[in-house]
Amino acid sequence: MIGEISARARRDRYGSKINRTHSPLLAYAVPVLSIMLGSLIPQLPIASAVPLMPPLGYLLLLSWRFVRPGLLPVWAGFPLGLFDDLFSGQPFGSAIALWSVTMLGMELFEARFPWRGFFQDWLVAGVIVTWYLVIAALFSGGRVDGTMLLVLLPQIVLSVSIIPLLSRLVAGLDRFRLSRVRVLG
């Protein structure tokens, strides 16, 4: 025999779930705006002798891609990289190229390994971020030697260590993005 449906099953913290859906504006704007805001945060005035601030826009792009694999299209690396190039201080086109190559590489990786775990994603993101920081340093005119890698080491370690925190942030933004706020009419 089928039991009664609980009245609380049709409610959430915003009220009734019936006749409500998520906002398409939030669904599409939250990922893009969070990545763009992440590209702007390193502009805060922080004085340091070595590059320490991680590329937050790039890390948020990776986090969105790992948390919601099909959300951002492959071509999204171009416009988001263009925005990052405008504010990062890198030579124009470096983020466009690196973000586009990253999106293509992640698409191939997801086709090859569709079932992954958190630690595998963290390892892959760590390798990708290390690759990104070294190639971005080359784009900026740096020489590849032990000193450059030693100077980049704190930034690499900080970038790899905050990937789980950013993935948690992206998961919260994803819940907000899909919250039922619009009443169907």
Side-chain angles (χ1 to χ4, degrees):
M1 177 170 227
I2 298 177
E4 283 188 39
I5 296 176
S6 171
R8 291 177 30 194
R10 294 187 180 133
R11 301 188 64 77
D12 62 4
R13 62 182 166 189
Y14 303 109
S16 174
K17 288 184 184 179
I18 298 173
N19 199 26
R20 292 195 20 239
T21 186
H22 64 273
S23 167
L25 179 67
L26 280 178
Y28 293 114
V30 168
V32 173
L33 291 177
S34 66
I35 292 170
M36 292 170 77
L37 182 64
S39 291
L40 291 176
I41 287 177
Q43 300 303 312
L44 296 174
I46 297 174
S48 176
V50 296
L52 190 60
M53 188 64 125
L56 290 176
Y58 186 74
L59 291 173
L60 283 169
L61 175 79
L62 291 177
S63 295
W64 274 107
R65 190 68 186 180
F66 283 128
V67 171
R68 284 287 181 171
L71 181 66
L72 293 171
V74 177
W75 54 264
F78 180 83
L80 293 171
L82 175 69
F83 183 83
D84 189 70
D85 270 340
L86 294 175
F87 295 101
S88 69
Q90 286 285 99
F92 190 74
S94 64
I96 294 172
L98 292 174
W99 289 35
S100 298
V101 168
T102 299
M103 291 296 282
L104 290 170
M106 289 180 72
E107 187 71 24
L108 292 173
F109 178 75
E110 287 171 3
R112 178 72 174 109
F113 301 105
W115 298 284
R116 302 176 318 272
F118 171 74
F119 291 109
Q120 185 179 5
D121 284 347
W122 193 7
L123 176 69
V124 169
V127 169
I128 291 173
V129 168
T130 303
W131 167 83
Y132 174 79
L133 290 172
V134 170
I135 300 296
L138 291 175
F139 269 128
S140 68
R143 291 186 328 235
V144 179
D145 58 359
T147 306
M148 182 191 77
L149 295 176
L150 187 63
V151 167
L152 282 178
L153 189 62
Q155 188 178 21
I156 291 170
V157 168
L158 184 61
S159 297
V160 171
S161 64
I162 66 169
I163 288 171
L165 296 173
L166 289 177
S167 295
R168 182 93 170 174
L169 172 73
V170 164
L173 286 173
D174 190 46
R175 281 191 303 275
F176 169 70
R177 175 182 84 86
L178 295 177
S179 62
R180 296 172 182 254
V181 294
R182 190 172 67 117
V183 175
L184 296 174

